[in-house]
Amino acid sequence: MEKIVFATGNAGKMKEIKEIMCDLKVPVLSMKEAGLELEIEENGSTFEENAVIKAKAVAAAAKSIDQGIVVLADDSGLEVDYLNKEPGVYSARYMGEDTSYRIKNQSLIDRLDGVPDEKRTARFVCAIAAVMPDGDVVTTRGVIEGKIGYEERGTNGFGYDPIFYLPDMSRSTAELMPEEKNNISHRGNALQAMKEELKKRRV
Ligand code: IMP
């Protein structure tokens, strides 16, 4: 493995993956840093499918640049058990891509109106896919379990963090410091698992 390209345009995700992967001692580049620009349609029905779609599209484009590249991509979202795991793979698109999270979060709170604590279970899920230099595809999954709160709390994080309550910590994920969240998050867990896969395969 000569380098890793992570298929995202999100600077926050890039920072996190560079930190977690640093002991592999291989350069980790964003698509932009690798000179790749492409729009990818996420039309899979699971987090894993979407991550694989993204990683394969970028791997196909990257092949002409370098043969030794491992391409990673992720897909993540929130599953609310009471809502049959909605918004799931539609988390970013829920109520429209341009709708603010204040409105999306309030909508989920409203849809759980009157639902007791024990039925408010939810989880953030993250799937990471890797396309290896030989074309092999590997996926890992990380989850963090919590409950949908009754109001927005905290200003850190992004997206659904203000309504994702961690009973053990008595805080929402928007009330955690970034390092605290990375240590226990779905994305952190999936990335750690992927790092172990890459080490094992010595690609
Ligand atoms: P994507 O994986 O970049 O497509 O993001 C999916 C969507 O899931 C995000 O836009 C958020 O709505 C939601 N999401 C994923 N991870 C988190 C998280 O850690 N906190 C809050 N929302 C998240």
Side-chain angles (χ1 to χ4, degrees):
M1 168 169 60
E2 288 161 22
K3 56 178 84 128
I4 295 172
V5 173
F6 194 67
T8 184
N10 180 314
K13 282 188 190 174
M14 269 325 292
K15 186 167 173 284
E16 195 181 330
I17 187 186
K18 283 185 184 189
E19 280 165 11
I20 290 179
M21 296 288 175
C22 69
D23 56 320
L24 285 177
K25 303 206 168 29
V26 189
V28 181
L29 309 179
S30 66
M31 289 205 299
K32 202 169 162 202
E33 287 166 337
L36 296 164
E37 245 177 277
L38 59 159
E39 282 283 315
I40 306 156
E41 202 193 337
E42 294 176 29
N43 52 12
S45 56
T46 63
F47 297 111
E48 278 78 3
E49 266 176 45
N50 277 336
V52 170
I53 288 169
K54 284 186 250 183
K56 279 189 172 171
V58 174
K63 215 165 182 148
S64 56
I65 303 177
D66 200 323
Q67 298 294 317
I69 292 180
V70 172
V71 176
L72 301 184
D74 79 333
D75 194 49
S76 58
L78 174 69
E79 290 182 347
V80 181
D81 289 327
Y82 187 78
L83 303 176
N84 294 317
K85 301 200 173 173
E86 270 189 57
V89 290
Y90 297 101
S91 291
R93 290 164 279 176
Y94 178 62
M95 300 182 82
E97 196 98 38
D98 295 330
T99 303
S100 76
Y101 275 92
R102 177 137 294 168
I103 293 175
K104 294 186 201 222
N105 285 337
Q106 192 56 51
S107 152
L108 292 179
I109 291 170
D110 291 346
R111 290 176 70 190
L112 265 62
D113 189 30
V115 176
D117 248 19
E118 67 274 15
K119 291 192 176 159
R120 302 177 77 91
T121 50
R123 69 201 55 75
F124 280 130
V125 180
C126 176
I128 309 238
V131 177
M132 304 296 175
D134 63 1
D136 235 16
V137 176
V138 184
T139 62
T140 59
R141 169 177 273 235
V143 296
I144 176 169
E145 300 284 343
K147 287 186 174 176
I148 299 302
Y150 296 86
E151 61 188 8
E152 284 200 315
R153 278 174 60 175
T155 51
N156 297 334
F158 67 100
Y160 299 102
D161 279 326
I163 60 164
F164 190 76
Y165 187 71
L166 300 170
D168 289 350
M169 300 183 89
S170 306
R171 279 182 286 172
S172 77
T173 41
E175 293 177 301
L176 300 181
M177 297 308 288
E179 315 78 71
E180 276 182 302
K181 185 181 164 196
N182 289 348
N183 279 336
I184 55 168
S185 80
H186 49 314
R187 192 167 297 104
N189 292 339
L191 278 170
Q192 285 290 355
M194 182 54 76
K195 184 165 80 173
E196 296 313 313
E197 283 292 332
L198 295 179
K199 277 187 186 165
K200 212 161 63 191
R201 290 168 171 254
R202 287 197 200 87
V203 283

